[in-house]
Amino acid sequence: MKVIIDLHAVKASQNGDEHSGARDGFLEWADSNIDETVAVIEFLAARYGVRPNLAAIALMNEPRAPGVTLDALTKYYKAAYDAIRKYTNAYVILSARLGPADPKELFSLASTMNRVAIDVHYYNLFSDSFTGMTVQQNIDFVNNQRASDLGSLTSANGPRVLVGEWTAEFARNDASMEDYQRFAKAQLDVYGRATFGWAYWAYNCDRNHWSLKWMIENNFIQLK
């Protein structure tokens, strides 16, 4: 088994969400926080870099645009990458910014690095645009829009791409077991084309369709 170490929350918060360590909803991470965030990454690389099952280190989860500027994020990613390379040649994962930002904005930086991947997260949730969709429209969105989005990243002669988060939950309260299975299968088919693979959120969760363990046990997802 290989392990990806993910710095999921940083001091001052990179997106204002509770899973980033924010208690007040404020996004305050900026240039002044770069050095101390790099220090955390260097600590992790020094501690785990020699482990043979270390696959990658993800530098920051879901920085949000425009609060986290591309300039500050680029400075941080470059410094953190250099810190990791003192200890290990494991892959380095660069999370794309949430919000009005194109993941391709990181391609130029990634081209100066070795063994890196861009991380994108795909949910049919957290946006009003999904609330009125039927089950079939959700599935069609994955097969069409998400396939196009992912295809544009993987066919652009850029770095490897990781779909670092997705789930079989969507904004319907009337979906059947078969609907959830069809929705999960559509995502597996599309995200299986990612050149660095995918990761499901989460392995075990109280809400069943968020739980990969529950999905496997009930034959929603069959892993090869």
Side-chain angles (χ1 to χ4, degrees):
M1 179 180 290
K2 296 289 187 178
V3 174
I4 295 174
I5 296 176
D6 170 35
L7 185 57
H8 211 79
V10 301
K11 182 179 178 181
S13 181
Q14 73 277 19
N15 55 40
D17 295 328
E18 65 277 5
H19 56 72
S20 73
R23 300 180 66 181
D24 53 13
F26 287 101
L27 185 169
E28 298 177 311
W29 188 92
D31 289 71
S32 60
N33 302 107
I34 290 176
D35 288 347
E36 59 187 348
T37 312
V38 171
V40 174
I41 289 293
E42 183 158 3
F43 168 81
L44 294 170
R47 183 168 186 172
Y48 299 109
V50 298
R51 303 292 181 92
N53 56 336
L54 176 66
I57 297 177
L59 301 182
M60 180 185 289
N61 177 68
E62 295 183 343
R64 187 182 301 279
V68 174
T69 67
L70 179 59
D71 181 65
L73 190 64
T74 298
K75 289 177 183 176
Y76 165 62
Y77 280 170
K78 179 64 168 66
Y81 172 87
D82 290 342
I84 289 171
R85 287 293 174 257
K86 297 177 186 178
Y87 306 97
T88 177
N89 198 38
Y91 269 88
V92 175
I93 296 176
L94 314 177
S95 179
R97 293 192 295 167
L98 299 181
D102 186 341
K104 290 182 183 177
E105 67 185 8
L106 297 174
F107 277 23
S108 178
L109 173 65
S111 69
T112 68
M113 302 172 171
N114 295 314
R115 293 173 62 81
V116 297
I118 304 297
D119 179 19
V120 294
H121 296 174
Y122 290 146
Y123 290 105
N124 282 31
L125 295 162
F126 314 124
S127 170
D128 291 340
S129 61
F130 295 114
T131 56
M133 284 188 178
T134 65
V135 171
Q136 190 58 51
Q137 286 173 331
N138 274 278
I139 293 170
D140 291 343
F141 185 88
V142 171
N143 286 327
N144 297 313
Q145 186 60 53
R146 286 276 162 68
S148 176
D149 292 343
L150 183 58
S152 71
L153 299 177
T154 57
S155 63
N157 295 319
R160 292 176 181 264
V161 176
L162 166 71
V163 179
E165 291 185 21
W166 68 276
T167 190
E169 187 60 271
F170 54 120
R172 301 295 306 182
N173 295 320
D174 57 352
S176 67
M177 293 281 279
E178 182 183 359
D179 291 333
Y180 280 107
Q181 287 176 320
R182 291 193 301 124
F183 182 57
K185 183 180 185 303
Q187 292 183 93
L188 280 170
D189 291 344
V190 172
Y191 305 156
R193 303 167 198 165
T195 50
F196 200 71
W198 54 262
Y200 190 95
W201 189 272
Y203 174 69
N204 196 11
C205 185
D206 289 338
R207 292 174 290 177
N208 52 20
H209 302 119
W210 288 84
S211 173
L212 179 62
K213 180 180 179 182
W214 186 89
M215 300 289 283
I216 293 171
E217 289 172 347
N218 288 276
N219 297 315
F220 277 63
I221 294 176
Q222 295 182 349
L223 301 181
K224 297 179 180 179

